[in-house]
Structure formats: structure tokens, C-alpha cells
Amino acid sequence: MSESVIPSQEAAPRLSSLFHRDYLFGTLMLGGGIMLHAVETYITATLMPSIVRDIGGLELFAWATTIYVAASVLGSTFVAVRPESVTLNRCYVFGAVLFGIGSLVCTIAPTMEIVLAGRAIQGLGAGFLVALGYAFIRYVYPEPLWSTASTLYAAVWGIATFLGPTIGGIFAAGSAWREAFALLVPLSVIMAFVAPRLLPSGDGERVTTKTPFVQIVLLVTAVLLLSFASSVAAPALRGVLAGAAVLGVIAAITIERHAQARLLPVGTISVGSPLARVYLIMLMLLVTICSDVYIPYFLQVLHGVTPLVSGYLVALLALGWTAAAFLTASLSGRRANRVILIGAVLETLATAALVFTLARHNPGSDLLFLALSTVFTFLMGFGIGMGWAHLVTHVMRLAPAGETDKASAAITTMQALGAAFGAALAGIIVNSTGLLQPGGIDGAVTAARWLYALLALPAAFAILLAIGLPHARSGGAD
């Protein structure tokens, strides 16, 4: 790698450095893998109404997301516990092939059950690709560019938020949902073919362990139980399922603490572990941000906004994440820790503020409340975006020797679990506080108030975790 493009400690790393000839192909491959996953996520969300109209399966609608997320946890975990002979670029090939096979299954699916099978295979491949986006950073770039690379990959999600619904809308308008999945097949094949030629092998130091099968099963089961809990009508059953999910998480943590086959790096399951605090901050911020899943619904029902406009308004959350990531990318040391803390505070306050702006009946579409709701939605994303890349950099620097692959893959696991638990908790809250019973406008207002009040709490907990976070001493002034 050329040293001429490595920024000095006094100079802020520039995004353009990632596209220098020494790093260009790695940047395109890693960013492309995350982009493929991110865009497809939004395409599928847009296509699902067309799919159920065509082949039925409305009762399985939510499972298209749940099973995808659960499978991605398995894929990201394999990256960390893969056999010693399997290099990272081989994992990339496996991930791209699996993603392509899953897309092909969805393309030809005659029933919703087959679509879900395809989504499971897609999710498995996506878990590989996203985990590798982070795991490869230390092989493709010098350390001063780690935070900048993390910023770029975070920004991919912001771009995908606009591309996904647009592409999905084009195919949905013509009921061409099969063609949308088919388009992903050749892209996956190309990426699988060129990965060994454009990416380093990535077979550096790591500790080889057995697969943490029990912990994985418990966590995936907890996700599925919470998803069931968010969809059942009986409050008692909802409570039982949610309680069982909590017990599953506790059991997974207890086993992880003493297991030889570990899901997380050694020492992570410890109250005093800085790495554990970083992972918890990530998880809490993501749980809060997933309250956005109901923003389009409340905009349409309470504020009279059209579906298309509501979709693009909620996309401002991802835009805020992207904007903040770029604005704070050059910070390091104590300043990086400050923006993590400030970002958590901002996300907490913005989420809580939606209780007063979004959670109200506004049949006349009063621009004041719409504008304020839009601003706070943007600020929710801005808050998490301020610190995300620096949290990723913390993980790579705090990872124990030989366990950097496992630490990097765990970032994707936290993302998947945060998204799954956040969406499921949001469903439980709104369904338990009036959205279904009594329903209507009054039920939606009450549910929205409870949702944003309660889901501001995980981000508030992240504030406490971020206080006193150890700062990196390499690169950049404090």
C-alpha cells in the first residue's frame, strides 16, 4: 500500500483517499457488498404489497423482514468462526453466491413460503457481506483511514434509503416484482467472480474456536419470539412470548460468559469491559432508531400525508445519519468520544420530542407540526450518525489480539439484533397501547406517544454508557 495517501496525524483523512488507486477496488467491493444488501432491503419493503397481491400470504408479511434479519445474524457469525482455511475473500464469494441464490429463489417463487425461503438465503449471504465490510477494513486500509472507511459504509445506507424505494417503486408500479429480484442475480455473480481478484486474502491473525451454536440459536429464537409477540392479539400471550425472549437473551449471555465456543471476543461479557460498553452503545442506539418503522404510518393516519411523501420524509433519518457521519469523520481521541456522547443525547431528545409533534391528530396537515416532526426525524438519524463510525473504530482498536475478525463480525450482529429487537419492541408497544384496540385516530395517538416515550430510553441508557468511554491515542489530536 502506498504511504503517500496516508494522512498525517495533523491532517484529517479525506474521503477521496479511499478512492486512491491503492484502495479503489477494495472500496468498490466492500461498499458494493453493503450497498447490495442495503438497497435490496428497501426494494423488498416497497415490493411486498405487490407480492402478497400476486401470490397471497398477507399473514406472513412481516416475516419477510424477520427471517431475513435472523439469517443475517447467522451469516455474520460465520465470518468470525469460519474454519481456519477459509479466508475473508472466500467468505465474500460465499456471501455473494448465497445472496444470488436467494434472489433467484424469490424470482421463481410460486408461494409466499418459497419467498420466505429465498429471503432466508438472501439474509445469510447479506450477513456475510456486511460483516466483511467491517472485517476487511484493517486489511484494505491503513489505520488512519479506518474511521473514514467506516463513515463511507455508513453513508451507503443513506444513499440506499433513496435508491431502494425508487427502484422498488418502479418495479412495483408494473407488478414486476420478480424482475426486481432477478436483477440482483447477475450482480451477485459478478461480485463473487471478481472478489478473489480484487480483495486481499484477509487470512491474518485470529483465534479459531468452535461455532457458538447454542448462543446463536438462543438469540435468533429470542428475535423470532419477539416478532411473534408483536403480531399476536392476546395481551397475555404477548407478555409470555416477550418474557421468553428476555429469558433467551439472558441464557445466551450466561452461556457466553463461560463458553469455550464464543460469539464475542474474549472478556466482552464483563461489566468493566470497554468493548462491551461500545457494543451496548451500538445496540441501544439502534433499538431507539428502529422506532422509525411506524413513522410513515403515523404520518399518513394522523397527519394526512400521502404514502409516497411519508416514505421520503422518513428517509430523512438516513440522510441525517449520512450527513453527520461525513461531518464528524475527521475527529479522533477525546473529540470523537464527545461526539458519540452528544449524538446519543441528540437521538434521545429527538425521539422524545416526537411525542409532542408526531403523536397528535393533525387532519389539516398543519405545516408547523409536520415540519417539526420532519426535523426531529432527521435529528434522530443525525445523532446516531455522529458517533457510529467512531464506535466502529473503537471496536477494531479494542479487540483482543487474534480476535479482530470476531470483533468486526460482532458489529453486524449488533446491527441485526438492534434492528430486530427494535422493530419487535416497537410492534409490542404500539399493539399494547391502543393501535389495535381501540384503534382509529385515538388509538394511533396513544400508541405513538407511548412508542416514542419508551423507545427514547435505550438511547438515554447509551448516554450513560458513553460517559467515560476510553479514547484512542493513535492519530489525531485531542
Side-chain angles (χ1 to χ4, degrees), residues 206-244:
R206 64 191 175 89
V207 174
T208 303
T209 65
K210 297 179 180 178
T211 301
F213 182 76
V214 176
Q215 297 96 301
I216 294 170
V217 168
L218 286 169
L219 288 174
V220 171
T221 301
V223 169
L224 297 179
L225 287 172
L226 273 181
S227 298
F228 275 122
S230 68
S231 60
V232 299
L237 180 57
R238 192 181 302 147
V240 169
L241 291 172

PDB file of all heavy atoms in Angstrom, residues 206-244:
ATOM      1  N   ARG A 206      -6.096 -14.672  14.008  1.00  0.00           N
ATOM      2  CA  ARG A 206      -7.381 -14.813  14.691  1.00  0.00           C
ATOM      3  C   ARG A 206      -7.343 -16.095  15.500  1.00  0.00           C
ATOM      4  O   ARG A 206      -6.548 -17.003  15.250  1.00  0.00           O
ATOM      5  CB  ARG A 206      -8.557 -14.845  13.707  1.00  0.00           C
ATOM      6  CG  ARG A 206      -8.571 -16.035  12.770  1.00  0.00           C
ATOM      7  CD  ARG A 206      -9.617 -15.821  11.680  1.00  0.00           C
ATOM      8  NE  ARG A 206      -9.569 -16.879  10.705  1.00  0.00           N
ATOM      9  CZ  ARG A 206     -10.250 -18.008  10.784  1.00  0.00           C
ATOM     10  NH1 ARG A 206     -11.043 -18.209  11.807  1.00  0.00           N
ATOM     11  NH2 ARG A 206     -10.148 -18.931   9.863  1.00  0.00           N
ATOM     12  N   VAL A 207      -8.209 -16.165  16.484  1.00  0.00           N
ATOM     13  CA  VAL A 207      -8.313 -17.359  17.310  1.00  0.00           C
ATOM     14  C   VAL A 207      -9.426 -18.225  16.747  1.00  0.00           C
ATOM     15  O   VAL A 207     -10.555 -17.776  16.571  1.00  0.00           O
ATOM     16  CB  VAL A 207      -8.628 -16.982  18.775  1.00  0.00           C
ATOM     17  CG1 VAL A 207      -8.879 -18.225  19.608  1.00  0.00           C
ATOM     18  CG2 VAL A 207      -7.488 -16.163  19.365  1.00  0.00           C
ATOM     19  N   THR A 208      -9.101 -19.477  16.420  1.00  0.00           N
ATOM     20  CA  THR A 208     -10.099 -20.389  15.880  1.00  0.00           C
ATOM     21  C   THR A 208     -10.818 -21.101  17.023  1.00  0.00           C
ATOM     22  O   THR A 208     -10.185 -21.694  17.880  1.00  0.00           O
ATOM     23  CB  THR A 208      -9.434 -21.433  14.963  1.00  0.00           C
ATOM     24  OG1 THR A 208      -8.719 -20.746  13.936  1.00  0.00           O
ATOM     25  CG2 THR A 208     -10.482 -22.339  14.339  1.00  0.00           C
ATOM     26  N   THR A 209     -12.134 -21.021  17.028  1.00  0.00           N
ATOM     27  CA  THR A 209     -12.921 -21.686  18.057  1.00  0.00           C
ATOM     28  C   THR A 209     -14.036 -22.465  17.392  1.00  0.00           C
ATOM     29  O   THR A 209     -14.296 -22.326  16.202  1.00  0.00           O
ATOM     30  CB  THR A 209     -13.548 -20.657  19.022  1.00  0.00           C
ATOM     31  OG1 THR A 209     -14.488 -19.852  18.285  1.00  0.00           O
ATOM     32  CG2 THR A 209     -12.506 -19.757  19.639  1.00  0.00           C
ATOM     33  N   LYS A 210     -14.705 -23.277  18.186  1.00  0.00           N
ATOM     34  CA  LYS A 210     -15.881 -23.959  17.689  1.00  0.00           C
ATOM     35  C   LYS A 210     -17.003 -22.937  17.468  1.00  0.00           C
ATOM     36  O   LYS A 210     -16.986 -21.851  18.019  1.00  0.00           O
ATOM     37  CB  LYS A 210     -16.325 -25.028  18.684  1.00  0.00           C
ATOM     38  CG  LYS A 210     -15.304 -26.155  18.896  1.00  0.00           C
ATOM     39  CD  LYS A 210     -15.828 -27.149  19.919  1.00  0.00           C
ATOM     40  CE  LYS A 210     -14.810 -28.272  20.137  1.00  0.00           C
ATOM     41  NZ  LYS A 210     -15.283 -29.236  21.164  1.00  0.00           N
ATOM     42  N   THR A 211     -17.979 -23.321  16.691  1.00  0.00           N
ATOM     43  CA  THR A 211     -19.107 -22.434  16.431  1.00  0.00           C
ATOM     44  C   THR A 211     -19.959 -22.306  17.693  1.00  0.00           C
ATOM     45  O   THR A 211     -20.336 -23.313  18.295  1.00  0.00           O
ATOM     46  CB  THR A 211     -19.980 -22.991  15.283  1.00  0.00           C
ATOM     47  OG1 THR A 211     -19.169 -23.125  14.121  1.00  0.00           O
ATOM     48  CG2 THR A 211     -21.134 -22.063  14.993  1.00  0.00           C
ATOM     49  N   PRO A 212     -20.280 -21.061  18.123  1.00  0.00           N
ATOM     50  CA  PRO A 212     -21.110 -20.858  19.319  1.00  0.00           C
ATOM     51  C   PRO A 212     -22.577 -21.135  19.007  1.00  0.00           C
ATOM     52  O   PRO A 212     -23.432 -20.244  19.061  1.00  0.00           O
ATOM     53  CB  PRO A 212     -20.862 -19.382  19.657  1.00  0.00           C
ATOM     54  CG  PRO A 212     -20.555 -18.753  18.340  1.00  0.00           C
ATOM     55  CD  PRO A 212     -19.809 -19.796  17.541  1.00  0.00           C
ATOM     56  N   PHE A 213     -22.852 -22.394  18.686  1.00  0.00           N
ATOM     57  CA  PHE A 213     -24.165 -22.781  18.173  1.00  0.00           C
ATOM     58  C   PHE A 213     -25.290 -22.451  19.152  1.00  0.00           C
ATOM     59  O   PHE A 213     -26.337 -21.925  18.772  1.00  0.00           O
ATOM     60  CB  PHE A 213     -24.163 -24.282  17.865  1.00  0.00           C
ATOM     61  CG  PHE A 213     -25.440 -24.798  17.294  1.00  0.00           C
ATOM     62  CD1 PHE A 213     -25.783 -24.560  15.971  1.00  0.00           C
ATOM     63  CD2 PHE A 213     -26.333 -25.524  18.084  1.00  0.00           C
ATOM     64  CE1 PHE A 213     -26.978 -25.029  15.453  1.00  0.00           C
ATOM     65  CE2 PHE A 213     -27.526 -26.002  17.564  1.00  0.00           C
ATOM     66  CZ  PHE A 213     -27.848 -25.753  16.247  1.00  0.00           C
ATOM     67  N   VAL A 214     -25.081 -22.746  20.432  1.00  0.00           N
ATOM     68  CA  VAL A 214     -26.149 -22.561  21.423  1.00  0.00           C
ATOM     69  C   VAL A 214     -26.514 -21.081  21.552  1.00  0.00           C
ATOM     70  O   VAL A 214     -27.700 -20.719  21.566  1.00  0.00           O
ATOM     71  CB  VAL A 214     -25.723 -23.130  22.797  1.00  0.00           C
ATOM     72  CG1 VAL A 214     -26.795 -22.858  23.846  1.00  0.00           C
ATOM     73  CG2 VAL A 214     -25.465 -24.623  22.680  1.00  0.00           C
ATOM     74  N   GLN A 215     -25.486 -20.206  21.639  1.00  0.00           N
ATOM     75  CA  GLN A 215     -25.771 -18.777  21.777  1.00  0.00           C
ATOM     76  C   GLN A 215     -26.513 -18.239  20.554  1.00  0.00           C
ATOM     77  O   GLN A 215     -27.434 -17.423  20.676  1.00  0.00           O
ATOM     78  CB  GLN A 215     -24.476 -17.983  21.971  1.00  0.00           C
ATOM     79  CG  GLN A 215     -23.708 -18.321  23.236  1.00  0.00           C
ATOM     80  CD  GLN A 215     -22.604 -19.334  22.988  1.00  0.00           C
ATOM     81  OE1 GLN A 215     -22.868 -20.454  22.529  1.00  0.00           O
ATOM     82  NE2 GLN A 215     -21.377 -18.952  23.274  1.00  0.00           N
ATOM     83  N   ILE A 216     -26.100 -18.686  19.367  1.00  0.00           N
ATOM     84  CA  ILE A 216     -26.748 -18.225  18.139  1.00  0.00           C
ATOM     85  C   ILE A 216     -28.213 -18.636  18.120  1.00  0.00           C
ATOM     86  O   ILE A 216     -29.106 -17.829  17.824  1.00  0.00           O
ATOM     87  CB  ILE A 216     -26.015 -18.784  16.898  1.00  0.00           C
ATOM     88  CG1 ILE A 216     -24.597 -18.206  16.804  1.00  0.00           C
ATOM     89  CG2 ILE A 216     -26.793 -18.458  15.630  1.00  0.00           C
ATOM     90  CD1 ILE A 216     -23.742 -18.887  15.757  1.00  0.00           C
ATOM     91  N   VAL A 217     -28.466 -19.902  18.449  1.00  0.00           N
ATOM     92  CA  VAL A 217     -29.849 -20.399  18.447  1.00  0.00           C
ATOM     93  C   VAL A 217     -30.699 -19.622  19.447  1.00  0.00           C
ATOM     94  O   VAL A 217     -31.839 -19.230  19.153  1.00  0.00           O
ATOM     95  CB  VAL A 217     -29.874 -21.904  18.779  1.00  0.00           C
ATOM     96  CG1 VAL A 217     -31.305 -22.366  19.065  1.00  0.00           C
ATOM     97  CG2 VAL A 217     -29.297 -22.702  17.618  1.00  0.00           C
ATOM     98  N   LEU A 218     -30.155 -19.350  20.625  1.00  0.00           N
ATOM     99  CA  LEU A 218     -30.914 -18.623  21.646  1.00  0.00           C
ATOM    100  C   LEU A 218     -31.234 -17.192  21.195  1.00  0.00           C
ATOM    101  O   LEU A 218     -32.361 -16.710  21.392  1.00  0.00           O
ATOM    102  CB  LEU A 218     -30.134 -18.596  22.962  1.00  0.00           C
ATOM    103  CG  LEU A 218     -30.107 -19.910  23.750  1.00  0.00           C
ATOM    104  CD1 LEU A 218     -29.088 -19.829  24.889  1.00  0.00           C
ATOM    105  CD2 LEU A 218     -31.492 -20.226  24.305  1.00  0.00           C
ATOM    106  N   LEU A 219     -30.269 -16.507  20.591  1.00  0.00           N
ATOM    107  CA  LEU A 219     -30.504 -15.136  20.159  1.00  0.00           C
ATOM    108  C   LEU A 219     -31.489 -15.076  18.999  1.00  0.00           C
ATOM    109  O   LEU A 219     -32.391 -14.222  18.973  1.00  0.00           O
ATOM    110  CB  LEU A 219     -29.178 -14.478  19.759  1.00  0.00           C
ATOM    111  CG  LEU A 219     -28.230 -14.140  20.913  1.00  0.00           C
ATOM    112  CD1 LEU A 219     -26.905 -13.622  20.382  1.00  0.00           C
ATOM    113  CD2 LEU A 219     -28.863 -13.105  21.846  1.00  0.00           C
ATOM    114  N   VAL A 220     -31.322 -15.970  18.026  1.00  0.00           N
ATOM    115  CA  VAL A 220     -32.257 -15.996  16.897  1.00  0.00           C
ATOM    116  C   VAL A 220     -33.665 -16.356  17.378  1.00  0.00           C
ATOM    117  O   VAL A 220     -34.659 -15.767  16.933  1.00  0.00           O
ATOM    118  CB  VAL A 220     -31.775 -16.983  15.815  1.00  0.00           C
ATOM    119  CG1 VAL A 220     -32.851 -17.178  14.753  1.00  0.00           C
ATOM    120  CG2 VAL A 220     -30.483 -16.481  15.179  1.00  0.00           C
ATOM    121  N   THR A 221     -33.744 -17.296  18.319  1.00  0.00           N
ATOM    122  CA  THR A 221     -35.046 -17.664  18.881  1.00  0.00           C
ATOM    123  C   THR A 221     -35.687 -16.477  19.597  1.00  0.00           C
ATOM    124  O   THR A 221     -36.896 -16.240  19.493  1.00  0.00           O
ATOM    125  CB  THR A 221     -34.903 -18.842  19.858  1.00  0.00           C
ATOM    126  OG1 THR A 221     -34.346 -19.963  19.158  1.00  0.00           O
ATOM    127  CG2 THR A 221     -36.245 -19.236  20.446  1.00  0.00           C
ATOM    128  N   ALA A 222     -34.864 -15.710  20.316  1.00  0.00           N
ATOM    129  CA  ALA A 222     -35.388 -14.527  21.004  1.00  0.00           C
ATOM    130  C   ALA A 222     -35.954 -13.519  20.015  1.00  0.00           C
ATOM    131  O   ALA A 222     -37.016 -12.915  20.244  1.00  0.00           O
ATOM    132  CB  ALA A 222     -34.281 -13.880  21.846  1.00  0.00           C
ATOM    133  N   VAL A 223     -35.261 -13.328  18.884  1.00  0.00           N
ATOM    134  CA  VAL A 223     -35.752 -12.427  17.840  1.00  0.00           C
ATOM    135  C   VAL A 223     -37.099 -12.906  17.311  1.00  0.00           C
ATOM    136  O   VAL A 223     -38.050 -12.130  17.161  1.00  0.00           O
ATOM    137  CB  VAL A 223     -34.737 -12.327  16.682  1.00  0.00           C
ATOM    138  CG1 VAL A 223     -35.355 -11.613  15.484  1.00  0.00           C
ATOM    139  CG2 VAL A 223     -33.482 -11.596  17.141  1.00  0.00           C
ATOM    140  N   LEU A 224     -37.196 -14.210  17.033  1.00  0.00           N
ATOM    141  CA  LEU A 224     -38.438 -14.757  16.483  1.00  0.00           C
ATOM    142  C   LEU A 224     -39.583 -14.665  17.492  1.00  0.00           C
ATOM    143  O   LEU A 224     -40.722 -14.356  17.125  1.00  0.00           O
ATOM    144  CB  LEU A 224     -38.216 -16.208  16.059  1.00  0.00           C
ATOM    145  CG  LEU A 224     -37.183 -16.437  14.945  1.00  0.00           C
ATOM    146  CD1 LEU A 224     -37.035 -17.917  14.644  1.00  0.00           C
ATOM    147  CD2 LEU A 224     -37.579 -15.671  13.676  1.00  0.00           C
ATOM    148  N   LEU A 225     -39.279 -14.917  18.775  1.00  0.00           N
ATOM    149  CA  LEU A 225     -40.311 -14.827  19.802  1.00  0.00           C
ATOM    150  C   LEU A 225     -40.842 -13.402  19.933  1.00  0.00           C
ATOM    151  O   LEU A 225     -42.060 -13.180  20.062  1.00  0.00           O
ATOM    152  CB  LEU A 225     -39.759 -15.302  21.147  1.00  0.00           C
ATOM    153  CG  LEU A 225     -39.546 -16.809  21.299  1.00  0.00           C
ATOM    154  CD1 LEU A 225     -38.806 -17.113  22.604  1.00  0.00           C
ATOM    155  CD2 LEU A 225     -40.886 -17.548  21.278  1.00  0.00           C
ATOM    156  N   LEU A 226     -39.933 -12.418  19.883  1.00  0.00           N
ATOM    157  CA  LEU A 226     -40.377 -11.033  19.950  1.00  0.00           C
ATOM    158  C   LEU A 226     -41.201 -10.658  18.724  1.00  0.00           C
ATOM    159  O   LEU A 226     -42.160  -9.888  18.822  1.00  0.00           O
ATOM    160  CB  LEU A 226     -39.175 -10.091  20.074  1.00  0.00           C
ATOM    161  CG  LEU A 226     -38.656  -9.814  21.483  1.00  0.00           C
ATOM    162  CD1 LEU A 226     -37.490  -8.840  21.423  1.00  0.00           C
ATOM    163  CD2 LEU A 226     -39.747  -9.248  22.377  1.00  0.00           C
ATOM    164  N   SER A 227     -40.828 -11.203  17.580  1.00  0.00           N
ATOM    165  CA  SER A 227     -41.598 -10.931  16.362  1.00  0.00           C
ATOM    166  C   SER A 227     -43.007 -11.511  16.475  1.00  0.00           C
ATOM    167  O   SER A 227     -43.987 -10.871  16.091  1.00  0.00           O
ATOM    168  CB  SER A 227     -40.880 -11.518  15.144  1.00  0.00           C
ATOM    169  OG  SER A 227     -39.621 -10.906  14.980  1.00  0.00           O
ATOM    170  N   PHE A 228     -43.104 -12.731  17.010  1.00  0.00           N
ATOM    171  CA  PHE A 228     -44.423 -13.321  17.265  1.00  0.00           C
ATOM    172  C   PHE A 228     -45.206 -12.458  18.252  1.00  0.00           C
ATOM    173  O   PHE A 228     -46.398 -12.205  18.083  1.00  0.00           O
ATOM    174  CB  PHE A 228     -44.282 -14.741  17.829  1.00  0.00           C
ATOM    175  CG  PHE A 228     -44.115 -15.805  16.790  1.00  0.00           C
ATOM    176  CD1 PHE A 228     -42.996 -16.625  16.792  1.00  0.00           C
ATOM    177  CD2 PHE A 228     -45.071 -16.006  15.808  1.00  0.00           C
ATOM    178  CE1 PHE A 228     -42.833 -17.619  15.837  1.00  0.00           C
ATOM    179  CE2 PHE A 228     -44.923 -17.005  14.850  1.00  0.00           C
ATOM    180  CZ  PHE A 228     -43.797 -17.811  14.859  1.00  0.00           C
ATOM    181  N   ALA A 229     -44.509 -12.003  19.316  1.00  0.00           N
ATOM    182  CA  ALA A 229     -45.176 -11.207  20.351  1.00  0.00           C
ATOM    183  C   ALA A 229     -45.739  -9.913  19.781  1.00  0.00           C
ATOM    184  O   ALA A 229     -46.794  -9.438  20.213  1.00  0.00           O
ATOM    185  CB  ALA A 229     -44.197 -10.901  21.483  1.00  0.00           C
ATOM    186  N   SER A 230     -45.045  -9.328  18.801  1.00  0.00           N
ATOM    187  CA  SER A 230     -45.513  -8.064  18.225  1.00  0.00           C
ATOM    188  C   SER A 230     -46.733  -8.237  17.339  1.00  0.00           C
ATOM    189  O   SER A 230     -47.401  -7.261  17.003  1.00  0.00           O
ATOM    190  CB  SER A 230     -44.380  -7.409  17.422  1.00  0.00           C
ATOM    191  OG  SER A 230     -44.077  -8.168  16.268  1.00  0.00           O
ATOM    192  N   SER A 231     -47.040  -9.485  16.943  1.00  0.00           N
ATOM    193  CA  SER A 231     -48.129  -9.708  15.992  1.00  0.00           C
ATOM    194  C   SER A 231     -49.351 -10.390  16.583  1.00  0.00           C
ATOM    195  O   SER A 231     -50.400 -10.415  15.960  1.00  0.00           O
ATOM    196  CB  SER A 231     -47.621 -10.524  14.796  1.00  0.00           C
ATOM    197  OG  SER A 231     -47.130 -11.784  15.213  1.00  0.00           O
ATOM    198  N   VAL A 232     -49.225 -10.965  17.799  1.00  0.00           N
ATOM    199  CA  VAL A 232     -50.382 -11.658  18.380  1.00  0.00           C
ATOM    200  C   VAL A 232     -51.324 -10.656  19.028  1.00  0.00           C
ATOM    201  O   VAL A 232     -50.902  -9.590  19.491  1.00  0.00           O
ATOM    202  CB  VAL A 232     -49.950 -12.720  19.415  1.00  0.00           C
ATOM    203  CG1 VAL A 232     -49.080 -13.768  18.763  1.00  0.00           C
ATOM    204  CG2 VAL A 232     -49.219 -12.082  20.599  1.00  0.00           C
ATOM    205  N   ALA A 233     -52.603 -11.008  19.076  1.00  0.00           N
ATOM    206  CA  ALA A 233     -53.613 -10.090  19.608  1.00  0.00           C
ATOM    207  C   ALA A 233     -53.786 -10.215  21.114  1.00  0.00           C
ATOM    208  O   ALA A 233     -54.062  -9.221  21.797  1.00  0.00           O
ATOM    209  CB  ALA A 233     -54.953 -10.337  18.907  1.00  0.00           C
ATOM    210  N   ALA A 234     -53.647 -11.412  21.664  1.00  0.00           N
ATOM    211  CA  ALA A 234     -53.906 -11.633  23.093  1.00  0.00           C
ATOM    212  C   ALA A 234     -52.790 -11.033  23.946  1.00  0.00           C
ATOM    213  O   ALA A 234     -51.626 -11.445  23.823  1.00  0.00           O
ATOM    214  CB  ALA A 234     -54.033 -13.125  23.367  1.00  0.00           C
ATOM    215  N   PRO A 235     -53.093 -10.073  24.819  1.00  0.00           N
ATOM    216  CA  PRO A 235     -52.055  -9.441  25.654  1.00  0.00           C
ATOM    217  C   PRO A 235     -51.285 -10.444  26.513  1.00  0.00           C
ATOM    218  O   PRO A 235     -50.076 -10.308  26.698  1.00  0.00           O
ATOM    219  CB  PRO A 235     -52.853  -8.460  26.525  1.00  0.00           C
ATOM    220  CG  PRO A 235     -54.089  -8.179  25.735  1.00  0.00           C
ATOM    221  CD  PRO A 235     -54.409  -9.455  25.020  1.00  0.00           C
ATOM    222  N   ALA A 236     -52.011 -11.446  27.061  1.00  0.00           N
ATOM    223  CA  ALA A 236     -51.332 -12.422  27.921  1.00  0.00           C
ATOM    224  C   ALA A 236     -50.286 -13.209  27.144  1.00  0.00           C
ATOM    225  O   ALA A 236     -49.152 -13.398  27.605  1.00  0.00           O
ATOM    226  CB  ALA A 236     -52.364 -13.373  28.543  1.00  0.00           C
ATOM    227  N   LEU A 237     -50.656 -13.655  25.945  1.00  0.00           N
ATOM    228  CA  LEU A 237     -49.710 -14.405  25.112  1.00  0.00           C
ATOM    229  C   LEU A 237     -48.552 -13.521  24.692  1.00  0.00           C
ATOM    230  O   LEU A 237     -47.402 -13.971  24.632  1.00  0.00           O
ATOM    231  CB  LEU A 237     -50.434 -14.969  23.885  1.00  0.00           C
ATOM    232  CG  LEU A 237     -49.576 -15.776  22.897  1.00  0.00           C
ATOM    233  CD1 LEU A 237     -48.905 -16.944  23.610  1.00  0.00           C
ATOM    234  CD2 LEU A 237     -50.421 -16.258  21.723  1.00  0.00           C
ATOM    235  N   ARG A 238     -48.856 -12.264  24.406  1.00  0.00           N
ATOM    236  CA  ARG A 238     -47.807 -11.306  24.031  1.00  0.00           C
ATOM    237  C   ARG A 238     -46.785 -11.183  25.146  1.00  0.00           C
ATOM    238  O   ARG A 238     -45.571 -11.181  24.920  1.00  0.00           O
ATOM    239  CB  ARG A 238     -48.452  -9.954  23.727  1.00  0.00           C
ATOM    240  CG  ARG A 238     -47.529  -8.948  23.050  1.00  0.00           C
ATOM    241  CD  ARG A 238     -48.265  -7.646  22.815  1.00  0.00           C
ATOM    242  NE  ARG A 238     -49.450  -7.851  22.003  1.00  0.00           N
ATOM    243  CZ  ARG A 238     -50.577  -7.163  22.121  1.00  0.00           C
ATOM    244  NH1 ARG A 238     -50.671  -6.227  23.042  1.00  0.00           N
ATOM    245  NH2 ARG A 238     -51.603  -7.402  21.341  1.00  0.00           N
ATOM    246  N   GLY A 239     -47.272 -11.105  26.394  1.00  0.00           N
ATOM    247  CA  GLY A 239     -46.365 -10.998  27.530  1.00  0.00           C
ATOM    248  C   GLY A 239     -45.533 -12.248  27.724  1.00  0.00           C
ATOM    249  O   GLY A 239     -44.338 -12.171  28.039  1.00  0.00           O
ATOM    250  N   VAL A 240     -46.156 -13.411  27.546  1.00  0.00           N
ATOM    251  CA  VAL A 240     -45.432 -14.677  27.688  1.00  0.00           C
ATOM    252  C   VAL A 240     -44.312 -14.777  26.656  1.00  0.00           C
ATOM    253  O   VAL A 240     -43.170 -15.154  26.977  1.00  0.00           O
ATOM    254  CB  VAL A 240     -46.402 -15.871  27.556  1.00  0.00           C
ATOM    255  CG1 VAL A 240     -45.616 -17.179  27.441  1.00  0.00           C
ATOM    256  CG2 VAL A 240     -47.347 -15.922  28.746  1.00  0.00           C
ATOM    257  N   LEU A 241     -44.618 -14.432  25.401  1.00  0.00           N
ATOM    258  CA  LEU A 241     -43.613 -14.518  24.339  1.00  0.00           C
ATOM    259  C   LEU A 241     -42.474 -13.526  24.574  1.00  0.00           C
ATOM    260  O   LEU A 241     -41.297 -13.851  24.387  1.00  0.00           O
ATOM    261  CB  LEU A 241     -44.271 -14.259  22.984  1.00  0.00           C
ATOM    262  CG  LEU A 241     -45.232 -15.352  22.486  1.00  0.00           C
ATOM    263  CD1 LEU A 241     -45.970 -14.879  21.237  1.00  0.00           C
ATOM    264  CD2 LEU A 241     -44.481 -16.637  22.188  1.00  0.00           C
ATOM    265  N   ALA A 242     -42.821 -12.300  24.994  1.00  0.00           N
ATOM    266  CA  ALA A 242     -41.785 -11.305  25.267  1.00  0.00           C
ATOM    267  C   ALA A 242     -40.910 -11.743  26.436  1.00  0.00           C
ATOM    268  O   ALA A 242     -39.683 -11.594  26.404  1.00  0.00           O
ATOM    269  CB  ALA A 242     -42.428  -9.948  25.563  1.00  0.00           C
ATOM    270  N   GLY A 243     -41.534 -12.303  27.472  1.00  0.00           N
ATOM    271  CA  GLY A 243     -40.766 -12.794  28.609  1.00  0.00           C
ATOM    272  C   GLY A 243     -39.837 -13.929  28.227  1.00  0.00           C
ATOM    273  O   GLY A 243     -38.688 -13.995  28.682  1.00  0.00           O
ATOM    274  N   ALA A 244     -40.332 -14.830  27.367  1.00  0.00           N
ATOM    275  CA  ALA A 244     -39.494 -15.938  26.904  1.00  0.00           C
ATOM    276  C   ALA A 244     -38.305 -15.422  26.102  1.00  0.00           C
ATOM    277  O   ALA A 244     -37.192 -15.963  26.191  1.00  0.00           O
ATOM    278  CB  ALA A 244     -40.323 -16.900  26.058  1.00  0.00           C
TER     279      ALA A 244
END
